[in-house]
Amino acid sequence: MNSPAVIVHDSTLRDGQHAVRHQLDTDQISTYAAAADTAGVPVLEVGHGNGIGASSRQVGLSKTDDATMLVTAREAMPHSRLATLMLPGWATSTDLRSAIRHGVDIVRVAAHCTEADVTERHLGVIRDLGAEAQGVLLMSHLAQPEDLVEQCQRMVGYGAQAICIFDSAGTYLPEDVTARITAITSAVDVPVAFHCHNNLGMAVANSLAAVRAGARVLDACARGFGPGAGNTQLEVLVAVLERYGHPTGIDLRLVAQPADLAERTLMPTPPTIDSTSLVSGLAGVFSGFKKPVLAAAQQAGVSPWDVFVELGRRRVIAGQEDLIPDAINTLTLASMGERP
């Protein structure tokens, strides 16, 4: 009865884009946004999988440009807040101004878990423009709790009004989440959020562990729509939170409708935990590497499992897909008894 409220941040129309190579169109965006709004989803995140300004040959060209995606979603949801993501280096202050002009209420500025310094300028710009500025640390499993605390404190000092850590590889177990969220919530005075991928099948359990450790915002996607094994499944998370007495403001019966809609209209098939997704989580490699690894491994005639293990050894992060051929070359030389 006294369980704290949890804000569910729906990233179906942003993180889900990774699963379809950023090819969602305006009809898909509008229809899903309207359904999520009707169900009472408080925040809907929209954009290219890698955020505004990221459409490129390197990480994938969007079918729909940033402004059109944002305007389409904004017009379809009179109640939900509109959010987007940006990564410094891909997006610029010009992209931020355009996004906020087109109705964005919340902008998340994301950086690798040890590089919070790159968010300083953009967090300040967002605050100056009157939107809510949030800081995100990607691949958070690559840093110890005390290091994440330091990075989070820096982002709060730069103006972040909330902090989110991403389990970008779906590699956490509940105790890993508890250690990190407990440390962060004890050190900052802004809301703490958690975003989980499902490579080990632990996304809902890990999200619940985050709430118990003090997180008050959880990310999720309808039907788990997302890269690799997908994300925390929105409708399941809402149901579990309700069972534990955490109010979300989302209608459990109505949230089944955007979930069904997402499966029917957004994705070829719902995400599953196959062997490639599993090794991605075990190796601690970003889930978005799945498709390029499978393609490159097939062409080279090597095991994708071995490629993921090698990439994990190299501690690769999103945007370093160009290291896949190097990893394959290392495996090929090793198989011939040669040193790379």
Side-chain angles (χ1 to χ4, degrees):
M1 294 293 294
N2 297 316
S3 300
V6 175
I7 296 172
V8 177
H9 186 117
D10 182 349
S11 54
T12 301
L13 296 179
R14 198 278 304 167
D15 215 1
Q17 289 265 29
H18 286 293
V20 291
R21 300 183 184 273
H22 322 287
Q23 296 303 295
L24 296 183
D25 61 31
T26 53
D27 287 342
Q28 292 170 306
I29 291 168
S30 178
T31 304
Y32 180 83
D37 185 83
T38 299
V41 171
V43 181
L44 186 65
E45 186 173 291
V46 178
H48 183 283
N50 295 83
I52 55 174
S55 179
S56 63
R57 294 190 182 279
Q58 181 183 2
V59 292
L61 293 167
S62 286
K63 182 172 187 176
T64 310
D65 64 82
D66 292 338
T68 302
M69 282 192 277
L70 296 173
V71 169
T72 298
R74 178 74 284 164
E75 292 177 348
M77 45 186 222
H79 307 105
S80 302
R81 301 179 78 193
L82 177 61
T84 196
L85 178 87
M86 71 153 294
L87 283 80
W90 278 327
T92 66
S93 295
T94 299
D95 295 310
L96 285 178
R97 292 185 174 89
S98 175
I100 293 169
R101 187 171 65 250
H102 288 110
V104 166
D105 303 296
I106 301 169
V107 182
R108 284 178 157 180
V109 185
H112 183 60
C113 61
T114 58
E115 298 174 0
D117 289 354
V118 303
T119 68
E120 180 176 8
R121 181 168 180 269
H122 298 96
L123 288 169
V125 169
I126 296 162
R127 293 289 298 269
D128 290 344
L129 293 171
E132 181 175 328
Q134 298 188 2
V136 169
L137 293 178
L138 304 171
M139 299 290 287
S140 63
H141 69 283
L142 293 177
Q144 294 301 310
E146 59 272 20
D147 299 317
L148 290 176
V149 165
E150 179 184 351
Q151 298 297 312
C152 290
Q153 289 175 326
R154 289 185 185 183
M155 288 193 292
V156 172
Y158 301 150
Q161 294 159 281
I163 296 294
C164 184
I165 65 168
F166 275 33
D167 179 18
S168 309
T171 194
Y172 280 149
L173 297 176
E175 53 266 35
D176 302 316
V177 178
T178 299
R180 286 161 174 80
I181 297 295
T182 298
I184 294 167
T185 56
S186 299
V188 301
D189 58 0
V190 299
V192 174
F194 180 65
H195 174 111
C196 190
H197 289 193
N198 199 40
N199 297 64
L200 302 182
M202 301 298 295
V204 171
N206 285 340
S207 296
L208 185 61
V211 170
R212 289 174 168 168
R216 294 296 173 259
V217 182
L218 295 175
D219 288 8
C221 294
R223 283 294 189 275
F225 189 36
N231 295 51
T232 306
Q233 192 166 339
L234 174 68
E235 62 278 14
V236 176
L237 177 66
V238 172
V240 170
L241 289 172
E242 182 170 293
R243 286 287 303 275
Y244 278 103
H246 295 283
T248 65
I250 298 174
D251 187 302
L252 181 56
R253 184 180 181 90
L254 290 180
V255 81
Q257 296 178 15
D260 293 342
L261 181 71
E263 180 175 349
R264 197 168 60 247
T265 68
L266 301 184
M267 60 190 79
T269 58
T272 59
I273 306 173
D274 59 20
S275 58
T276 307
S277 299
L278 177 62
V279 69
S280 174
L282 291 172
V285 177
F286 171 52
S287 302
F289 273 68
K290 178 179 178 178
K291 288 184 178 179
V293 165
L294 285 174
Q298 182 178 15
Q299 183 177 7
V302 299
S303 165
W305 184 286
D306 293 337
V307 176
F308 267 108
V309 171
E310 174 62 21
L311 291 170
R313 187 187 67 80
R314 295 173 180 231
R315 296 167 68 88
V316 298
I317 61 175
Q320 291 185 315
E321 287 84 351
D322 57 334
L323 292 180
I324 294 172
D326 289 344
I328 290 175
N329 184 54
T330 296
L331 294 172
T332 302
L333 291 174
S335 68
M336 296 187 298
E338 300 180 27
R339 297 183 64 181

